[in-house]
Amino acid sequence: MRPFAYSRAPDVQAAIAHAGAGAEFIAGGTDMLQLLQEDLRSPATLIDINGLSLTGIGTDGDALQIGALTRLSEVAAHPDIRNRFPVVSEALEATASAQVRNMATVGGNLLQRTRCLYFRDATMPCNKRQPGSGCPAQDGCNELNAILGGSADCIAVHPSDLAVALVALDARLVIAGPAGERRIAIADLHRLPGDAPHIETVLDPGELITAVRLPMAMADRKSAYVKVRHRASFEWAIASCAVTLSLSGQTVQDSRIVAGGVATRPWRLPQVEAALAGQRLDAPTIRAAAETAAEGAAPRPGNAWKVPLQQRTVARAISTAAGVP
Amino acid sequence: MRSAIGQPISRVDGPAKVRGQARYAGEFQPHGLVHAVLVTSTIVQGRIIAIDDSEALRVPGVMAVISHLNAPRLPWHIPEQRPVVDPKAGEPLHLFQGPEVHFNGQPVALVIAGTLEGATEAAARVQVSYAPANGVTMFDEASARPPHPDTASAGRPGTTSRGDADAALAQAAVRIDATYRQPREHHNAIEPHVTIAAWDGDHLTLYDKTQWVDNDRQEVAHALGISESQIRVISPFVGGAFGSALRTWPHVIAAAIAAREVRRPVRLELTRRQLYSGIGFRPRTEQRIALGADRDGRLQAVVHEATAQTARYEEYAETTVNTTTKAYACRNVRTAYRLADMNINSPCPMRAPGTVTGIFALETAMDELAVALNMDPLELRLRNFADHDQHQQHPWSSNELQACYRAAAEKFGWHRRPQQPGTLRHDGKQVGYGMAMTMYPANREAASASVSVFANGTALIRSAASDMGPGTYTSMTQVAAECLGLPVDKIGFELGDTDLPVAPVHGGSITMASVGNAVMAACRSVESRLIDLARAPGSGPFAGVKLADLVCRDGAVMRASGAVGEAVPYGELLRRCGLSKLDSESHAEPGEEEEQFSSSAFGAVFAEVHVDAGLGTIRVPRLVGAYDIGRVVNPKIARSQCIGGMVGGIGMALLEAAEWDARFGRVMNSNLAEYLVPVCADVGELDVTFVASDDRNFNPLGVKGVAEIAICGVAPAIGNAIYNATGRRLRDLPFTPARLLAG
Ligand SMILES: Cc1cc2nc3c(=O)[nH]c(=O)nc-3n(C[C@H](O)[C@H](O)[C@H](O)COP(=O)(O)OP(=O)(O)OC[C@H]3O[C@@H](n4cnc5c(N)ncnc54)[C@H](O)[C@@H]3O)c2cc1C
């Protein structure tokens, strides 16, 4: 850990004004402190954004809006989330531990850094940390690394559970920055690593996530979040899947199916959605659709086992959402 | 008066721990304390060619950067009689004595600063350049070798044999032969290793996380070339150790050096990542077991070969195959133990070292044999019960293993076990039942204790023992309360200080049998002094009464007949004699019984598992264990030991593994987010029974020790249950979704 300056931003404008050039935000700090302590980040200044009034959950026009600084525990427990967007509560209740959820914020969760073992060990080369230094995960301890969306420079998994659920709800982000406010789809937030894995999102330096918006049009869908992990609790996903379905009887009108824990960013599965469209949901249909879930996967020998796991996780999530045994 | 031994009292140190009043090594605050942080190597083998500390020295508050370039040359004698906790061949790391690097993560420099933050930052700014050389980072069974003769003669022989196991195996009607793997595992105690070193002239005080203060003193004295009388080691509480604090690690000596250099007390704490290379770990071990039996399941041949990794600079070895020589009745048994030298830090004991590893393989193999015989696995074990130790050819000092089998099977409901794998389902999960035998050698070492009885009616017992969590404070208090006939709350117990009477290592489950008997002996000796006092001509209340007519009972001196004359409580006796206290010290050690008997704790563990066949996840809703641990001094804390061991066993079975990158010679998941240990949600119902047992053949207290046995047998019971649930035999730990799904 290196010394840094600490400042508390009184409002969004001040936070943005001070950000960029060696300054980074700290919200709940549950990831940032790890990054600092392990010497993975050494910002000159930490801008504490906890004083900003970006908390709370409420209806705003055609969406349910969640302030970016709302704690995960509060989001998970909120009646409107539980009743109308239960996939979010399920993803959050499977996130970290109760103690971490009491500190961690929605914005921080989406921007937490990967758990790739090489990224997390400052003595190791890592293209994310030190562009051009290499990616030892390609031929190293990669049992849990990405099978989808990777490149020769990076196969790090995006670890957020919440982001996976939010993509399945077509959520939008409200972003404040030096150039004003903009809105993007959550699905567009994270970039593929390509040859620049150190650039993880489309956020410009100094931009702040201020809110997440869940479209009311996506409320009340049948849904499920299935998370596979070694431990029964307190572990990032080794595979997960969020499903939201719009059904007419048992026939699929629309679906959003998103995989987590297996890809370099939340991984939407349009081919599975297409295979389900207009179909009556029964076990064989689900199985057949889920078989396509790992299309395009490029596993390493160490993580090839995740290919069948992903297919099964997707099948399980669809069946659970649809109530098909 | 009610007997104190056998009462389920709560730990006597509990209130202090809950209130934050229990002081752990790292919490002492000697005046002027400064902080030290280690810089560790990033190559596996080679030499340091330069250390640039100029940037580090510019960090405000930095006092010194110590490395082989400027550290004092130390004598670093090896004690003539090596401490039991040290390897018998090779030499421990001599920190900062030369440029050689033996493994990735080796301490190469130490930064001392006024604050921890300053030392941490400066440590990151020390630039070390290396001339790397090729090291051995691949575990290669083929290149393994037998242990050094000194290792072999310390109970880790390269081979043992009775009968002709290989010939008998070839002729056996039913055979199994398989390989079992266990990865490198780490203790991960919550309390990190930390040492505070403070010099006063040429006298050194160490506050250290240690399971053996006397060893710390001895090893530091030898390394620094000073006399043991110049050193005091203080360690009143240990926040979990599991064997990691048995030895005196190099950083302890580094702290002492640093404090001498900067003339200030120095606090050196290892970071969580440094705990993966700065102390030891359970070595990766591969084992082959071959069993041959007749059609009735009687063992005809047992072959057990194990290969473990060890460091190139020092030869740590385990008793991995030893259990197999005595676990079952069999005429033909052959074992082999080999070591694969690698550029790694030295492994060290971790709860039930060797034994838990060997039992994992043996008890999985027994299950495989039961399948091959189409026999109930419990029945197979009963048929091969060893009614004496066939290796040493001694009777057991006690053995209630069959009672353990019965008690645990009954409580578990073993009769409901599905005969056919993969046939029982619950809630969409495959359900399986499995079991394993467990045993752990009962040992005892010489120990001393002192007793002071005070005029206010209280007593204080002292011994340089340790309490890393199992409840030494509590159990020794109970022994003293029972012996002195005083209530538990009138007894104090002090440990963890080299100024106290000598105690053996707090490891190998020997503390109860060793220190417990010393406490008992010390109580007996103070009682005889109390009787002398009571009979003293003139001053004594029983002046003139014959020695044989007086006894100590219920905290008082009284006539043996009980009838005539009053009983004089100890406090009153002292007051009447004008004394404020009366002291006595005594010693207890094993005797001839060691040559006459084999002593062991025994147990049986039963597991239920639920497997999600689709996703490969495995959960353990239920473990049932029954144990023969001799006399149970405190059933509550003994149960705590057992459930702790069971949880450790769940971790070993399902979660724990160091992720090793051979290219860098480094553990990649060296933190508690990625090195998985069980969380509460992984722990279901844990049911512990102690069968009636009292081993006076082994020692006067009748105890055998409980700690290590409880982790043994859990992993194979779970693995055997997975087989019963799925029909899949997993032989490599941990049993993960990756392994279950991989074909
Ligand atoms: C032991 C442990 C287990 C965990 N398990 C899981 C798990 O199972 N699933 C899971 O999804 N997560 C898990 N997490 C991660 C946890 O959810 C995140 O650390 C947390 O959500 C981050 O939120 P925070 O508010 O603490 O962010 P911080 O640590 O404060 O910040 C994280 C990053 O986000 C940036 N940031 C924060 N807020 C904003 C904002 N509003 N706008 C722009 N940038 C911002 C910061 O600059 C920083 O780069 C786990 C964490 C721990 C410690």
Side-chain angles (χ1 to χ4, degrees):
Chain A
M1 180 147 66
R2 317 283 169 126
F4 52 82
Y6 169 86
S7 76
R8 214 174 271 179
D11 55 45
V12 170
Q13 285 322 312
I16 296 166
H18 286 104
E24 297 187 22
F25 299 128
I26 180 164
T30 58
D31 195 29
M32 184 50 97
L33 284 175
Q34 296 181 61
L35 300 171
L36 296 172
Q37 284 171 345
E38 299 254 32
D39 243 348
L40 307 175
R41 301 292 303 165
S42 42
T45 305
L46 272 189
I47 304 171
D48 184 343
I49 57 174
N50 285 288
L52 309 187
S53 43
L54 297 176
T55 55
I57 299 165
T59 313
D60 179 64
D62 58 356
L64 186 67
Q65 181 158 316
I66 307 169
L69 286 170
T70 316
R71 310 285 154 172
L72 302 186
S73 49
E74 188 185 336
V75 180
H78 195 278
D80 288 346
I81 304 282
R82 289 197 94 80
N83 298 331
R84 310 208 58 191
F85 301 96
V87 69
V88 172
S89 291
E90 285 174 38
L92 288 177
E93 279 164 359
T95 292
S97 66
Q99 292 90 334
V100 174
R101 294 196 295 271
N102 285 338
M103 277 309 285
T105 65
V106 167
N109 182 278
L110 303 178
L111 297 176
Q112 64 175 298
R113 309 295 302 274
T114 182
R115 303 306 309 180
C116 176
L117 301 178
Y118 298 90
F119 172 81
R120 291 276 162 182
D121 184 338
T123 69
M124 286 287 123
C126 170
N127 290 326
K128 259 192 198 303
R129 265 190 291 106
Q130 281 173 301
S133 61
C135 177
Q138 304 282 345
D139 299 305
C141 301
N142 56 19
E143 193 174 68
L144 302 181
N145 280 69
I147 54 174
L148 286 158
S151 69
D153 289 327
C154 183
I155 50 170
V157 164
H158 192 271
S160 166
D161 289 298
L162 175 64
V164 177
L166 292 182
V167 175
L169 289 170
D170 196 18
R172 316 242 129 203
L173 299 182
V174 185
I175 297 163
E181 190 182 287
R182 63 182 178 125
R183 295 183 178 200
I184 62 167
I186 169 87
D188 296 331
L189 173 65
H190 298 102
R191 292 166 41 114
L192 289 176
D195 59 4
H198 60 292
I199 307 174
E200 296 187 339
T201 69
V202 299
L203 295 183
D204 289 329
E207 279 193 315
L208 182 76
I209 299 176
T210 58
V212 173
R213 292 172 64 82
L214 309 180
M216 290 313 294
M218 298 296 282
D220 306 325
R221 283 192 162 203
K222 295 235 179 236
S223 68
Y225 189 74
V226 169
K227 177 170 177 177
V228 185
R229 46 188 167 181
H230 299 96
R231 290 204 281 227
S233 173
F234 209 3
E235 187 186 350
W236 283 271
I238 54 183
S240 74
C241 182
V243 170
T244 66
L245 299 172
S246 162
L247 298 178
S248 148
Q250 275 297 86
T251 306
V252 178
Q253 291 188 305
D254 182 50
S255 69
R256 284 180 77 99
I257 299 174
V258 189
V262 289
T264 53
R265 63 179 205 188
W267 200 256
R268 195 166 164 198
L269 297 165
Q271 71 280 22
V272 180
E273 295 169 9
L276 293 180
Q279 301 290 315
R280 253 189 75 79
L281 285 181
D282 54 21
T285 313
I286 293 172
R287 207 175 313 120
E291 284 230 319
T292 68
E295 249 173 35
R300 311 294 303 168
N303 63 7
W305 67 280
K306 285 178 91 171
V307 170
L309 177 63
Q310 195 209 338
Q311 293 164 327
R312 291 159 180 219
T313 307
V314 169
R316 181 73 58 87
I318 300 171
S319 334
T320 308
V324 173
Chain B
M1 171 180 252
R2 210 162 66 142
S3 167
I5 291 182
Q7 295 306 315
I9 67 168
S10 295
R11 23 182 96 233
V12 297
D13 48 335
K17 284 185 169 167
V18 171
R19 294 188 188 118
Q21 290 163 342
R23 271 233 237 158
Y24 291 79
E27 298 176 327
F28 286 82
Q29 289 281 349
H31 182 69
L33 186 66
V34 296
H35 296 266
V37 171
L38 286 169
V39 179
T40 56
S41 70
T42 52
I43 62 164
V44 296
Q45 168 86 24
R47 299 170 68 82
I48 301 166
I49 49 178
I51 295 181
D52 178 356
D53 58 10
S54 53
E55 261 198 67
L57 287 169
R58 274 201 289 277
V59 172
V62 170
M63 305 169 74
V65 177
I66 296 176
S67 70
H68 72 284
L69 298 174
N70 58 3
R73 291 292 158 268
L74 297 175
W76 227 298
H77 302 301
I78 302 293
E80 222 165 276
Q81 172 84 38
R82 290 203 183 202
V84 291
V85 291
D86 281 2
K88 302 297 172 270
E91 294 216 359
L93 213 55
H94 296 185
L95 270 203
F96 312 145
Q97 301 298 296
E100 299 79 18
V101 174
H102 306 283
F103 60 91
N104 188 327
Q106 175 183 322
V108 292
L110 185 69
V111 180
I112 303 130
T115 62
L116 177 60
E117 292 77 7
T120 303
E121 186 200 352
R125 292 187 186 277
V126 174
Q127 299 286 334
V128 185
S129 325
Y130 303 95
N134 286 335
V136 182
T137 56
M138 298 282 277
F139 181 86
D140 177 18
E141 245 195 304
S143 70
R145 56 168 180 86
H148 186 279
D150 292 346
T151 304
S153 60
R156 287 130 177 97
T159 55
T160 71
S161 186
R162 68 171 180 263
D164 185 343
D166 297 282
L169 185 67
Q171 284 160 21
V174 181
R175 277 190 291 271
I176 64 106
D177 193 335
T179 299
Y180 307 88
R181 295 184 183 84
Q182 173 236 287
R184 171 171 172 162
E185 296 168 353
H186 290 262
H187 308 76
N188 276 317
I190 290 300
E191 181 197 28
H193 282 249
V194 53
T195 306
I196 293 173
W199 289 88
D200 180 4
D202 61 1
H203 190 275
L204 172 66
T205 303
L206 289 169
Y207 305 88
D208 192 27
K209 169 173 179 146
T210 174
Q211 294 170 242
W212 197 8
V213 287
D214 290 332
N215 176 261
D216 249 24
R217 174 169 63 180
Q218 182 189 13
E219 303 237 10
V220 173
H222 277 83
L224 300 185
I226 63 177
S227 139
E228 287 189 32
S229 63
Q230 290 168 262
I231 303 176
R232 179 174 176 199
V233 181
I234 296 174
S235 182
F237 292 97
V238 176
F242 313 107
S244 70
L246 292 168
R247 296 190 66 181
T248 303
W249 295 109
H251 69 265
V252 177
I253 292 151
I257 299 172
R260 199 158 62 178
E261 292 303 300
V262 301
R263 300 171 174 281
R264 295 276 288 273
V266 166
R267 182 183 190 281
L268 171 52
E269 175 178 331
L270 303 188
T271 65
R272 183 58 61 181
R273 282 206 192 268
Q274 287 172 347
L275 289 169
Y276 286 74
S277 57
I279 58 171
F281 56 90
R282 191 193 298 290
R284 174 173 171 179
T285 305
E286 304 211 355
Q287 308 176 68
R288 172 196 171 217
I289 295 213
L291 302 176
D294 65 19
R295 299 223 175 268
D296 294 331
R298 270 171 247 288
L299 283 169
Q300 305 300 308
V302 177
V303 174
H304 188 169
E305 300 168 341
T307 303
Q309 62 183 177
T310 200
R312 287 175 78 177
Y313 58 93
E314 186 178 53
E315 187 180 280
Y316 173 75
E318 300 199 318
T319 54
T320 313
V321 296
N322 296 21
T323 309
T324 301
T325 62
K326 49 183 74 173
Y328 293 108
C330 181
R331 241 178 263 131
N332 306 296
V333 177
R334 179 174 69 74
T335 67
Y337 182 70
R338 299 167 69 80
L339 293 164
D341 300 305
M342 294 176 65
N343 283 87
I344 52 176
N345 49 315
S346 197
C348 81
M350 176 165 148
R351 200 169 193 172
T355 305
V356 69
T357 305
I359 286 181
F360 155 63
L362 177 64
E363 288 302 289
T364 311
M366 285 296 280
D367 202 67
E368 299 201 46
L369 181 63
V371 171
L373 285 159
N374 197 18
M375 182 179 286
D376 182 306
L378 175 56
E379 176 61 25
L380 175 66
R381 287 165 174 92
L382 288 168
R383 282 193 194 179
N384 289 288
F385 175 72
D387 64 2
H388 67 285
D389 175 348
Q390 295 193 348
H391 182 66
Q392 285 179 313
Q393 294 297 342
H394 289 158
W396 301 110
S397 56
S398 70
N399 183 337
E400 299 298 335
L401 176 57
Q402 287 164 311
C404 294
Y405 285 138
R406 275 193 303 275
E410 162 86 27
K411 277 204 132 181
F412 182 80
W414 181 248
H415 61 280
R416 290 196 299 270
R417 165 183 174 269
Q419 295 267 326
Q420 275 307 312
T423 52
L424 191 61
R425 288 186 158 265
H426 174 76
D427 230 0
K429 308 285 193 306
Q430 295 178 313
V431 177
Y433 290 5
M435 59 86 56
M437 179 275 313
T438 169
M439 55 192 286
Y440 196 82
N443 285 312
R444 193 187 157 197
E445 300 270 347
S448 307
S450 69
V451 180
S452 304
V453 175
F454 296 94
N456 66 3
T458 64
L460 179 63
I461 325 297
R462 309 165 102 190
S463 176
S466 169
D467 188 346
M468 63 171 150
T472 314
Y473 279 109
T474 311
S475 54
M476 297 306 157
T477 298
Q478 287 176 268
V479 170
E482 168 110 2
C483 294
L484 295 175
L486 291 174
V488 163
D489 62 9
K490 298 281 184 218
I491 307 274
F493 186 77
E494 285 179 6
L495 52 66
D497 186 336
T498 45
D499 280 357
L500 306 181
V502 174
V505 61
H506 182 43
S509 305
I510 69 166
T511 298
M512 198 66 240
S514 307
V515 182
N517 282 292
V519 169
M520 188 160 110
C523 292
R524 295 280 174 265
S525 88
V526 86
E527 282 177 348
S528 77
R529 293 203 60 196
L530 286 161
I531 289 176
D532 289 346
L533 199 62
R535 292 175 59 236
S539 59
F542 295 102
V545 180
K546 274 200 277 174
L547 182 60
D549 289 344
L550 288 179
V551 292
C552 285
R553 195 180 297 150
D554 296 346
V557 179
M558 63 181 77
R559 286 181 193 270
S561 60
V564 206
E566 76 212 86
V568 184
Y570 302 149
E572 189 188 326
L573 173 62
L574 294 184
R575 288 196 300 276
R576 280 209 221 167
C577 298
L579 293 177
S580 63
K581 66 174 178 130
L582 190 68
D583 299 326
S584 191
E585 183 167 331
S586 199
H587 174 88
E589 62 186 9
E592 283 173 1
E593 73 280 355
E594 280 207 320
E595 311 306 318
Q596 293 162 0
F597 296 104
S598 277
S599 296
S600 180
F602 298 94
V605 192
F606 289 72
E608 177 176 335
V609 303
H610 290 184
V611 179
D612 185 321
L615 305 180
T617 49
I618 302 162
R619 305 284 179 245
V620 182
R622 209 154 62 92
L623 286 173
V624 175
Y627 302 94
D628 163 13
I629 58 164
R631 193 155 163 227
V632 181
V633 173
N634 181 327
K636 184 173 183 176
I637 58 175
R639 176 178 179 277
S640 292
Q641 271 302 292
C642 289
I643 63 175
M646 286 174 162
V647 173
I650 293 172
M652 184 175 198
L654 302 181
L655 301 169
E656 289 194 51
E659 296 287 340
W660 181 250
D661 189 324
R663 297 166 304 171
F664 301 96
R666 192 168 172 91
V667 174
M668 289 311 307
N669 57 339
S670 52
N671 67 66
L672 284 175
E674 266 79 30
Y675 183 102
L676 300 179
V677 297
V679 295
C680 292
D682 293 304
V683 180
E685 183 188 332
L686 304 177
D687 186 313
V688 176
T689 301
F690 298 111
V691 300
S693 173
D694 190 348
D695 194 343
R696 309 278 166 136
N697 286 330
F698 174 43
N699 64 80
L701 255 184
V703 300
K704 292 206 273 199
V706 52
E708 335 232 10
I709 187 167
I711 194 175
C712 300
V714 177
I718 290 172
N720 297 340
I722 293 170
Y723 175 81
N724 185 244
T726 64
R728 285 285 310 285
R729 179 64 68 185
L730 300 183
R731 301 188 182 89
D732 294 353
L733 291 171
F735 308 133
T736 56
R739 297 211 156 106
L740 203 59
L741 294 180

